[in-house]
Amino acid sequence: MGAWELVIVFIVGLIVLGPERLPVAIRTVSRWIKTAKQFGQSVQSEINEELRVHELHNNLKEAEEKGMKNLSPDLQSSLDELNQAAQSVTHSYKQTDTKEPKNDK
């Protein structure tokens, strides 16, 4: 929207809503826009994460087909990333598994 279009929208809003309700309407619309932007960003980040996981999965399949030997640097970095993630999950699982509840009597 250009500057003149915003001025026209403001004038029409001022005429239709009046000076008392116009600030409330502007705040409401700005909240809607903020919520829509946040929703769009969250959807975009989820899609990017799913694409990343899909790419890692495909790289793992390709590495398994090659017998995990003579891998390209891209495949090797994907495998390293997957190994780190697996170790992280295993490590956090072991930490929670070793903690036993206390019996206070």
Side-chain angles (χ1 to χ4, degrees), residues 3-47:
W4 287 109
E5 292 170 335
L6 286 175
V7 169
I8 291 172
V9 168
F10 179 75
I11 291 171
V12 170
L14 187 60
I15 292 169
V16 172
L17 297 174
E20 298 85 23
R21 292 187 296 180
L22 185 61
V24 174
I26 291 172
R27 280 193 295 270
T28 303
V29 169
S30 67
R31 274 190 236 128
W32 289 345
I33 291 171
K34 182 180 176 183
T35 302
K37 283 182 181 180
Q38 289 174 345
F39 177 73
Q41 289 172 348
S42 69
V43 168
Q44 184 179 11
S45 67
E46 287 181 28
I47 289 172

Side-chain angles (χ1 to χ4, degrees), residues 1-3 7 11 15 29 42-43 47 51 53 56 62 64 67 72 74-75 81 83 88:
M1 267 186 145
V7 169
I11 291 171
I15 292 169
V29 169
S42 69
V43 168
I47 289 172
L51 288 173
V53 168
L56 288 173
E62 188 176 336
E64 287 174 346
S72 70
D74 290 339
L75 285 176
E81 186 176 347
N83 282 331
S88 168

Side-chain angles (χ1 to χ4, degrees), residues 42-102:
S42 69
V43 168
Q44 184 179 11
S45 67
E46 287 181 28
I47 289 172
N48 287 338
E49 185 62 25
E50 286 297 322
L51 288 173
R52 187 176 142 287
V53 168
H54 183 69
E55 180 183 358
L56 288 173
H57 182 72
N58 286 342
N59 287 345
L60 181 60
K61 275 185 178 178
E62 188 176 336
E64 287 174 346
E65 289 171 359
K66 290 184 175 183
M68 303 294 222
K69 297 178 182 173
N70 301 326
L71 301 176
S72 70
D74 290 339
L75 285 176
Q76 188 61 48
S77 67
S78 292
L79 283 177
D80 293 341
E81 186 176 347
L82 286 169
N83 282 331
Q84 288 175 352
Q87 289 173 358
S88 168
V89 169
T90 304
H91 180 69
S92 65
Y93 176 73
K94 284 180 182 178
Q95 284 180 345
T96 57
D97 193 32
T98 58
K99 295 179 183 176
E100 294 183 17
K102 295 179 183 178

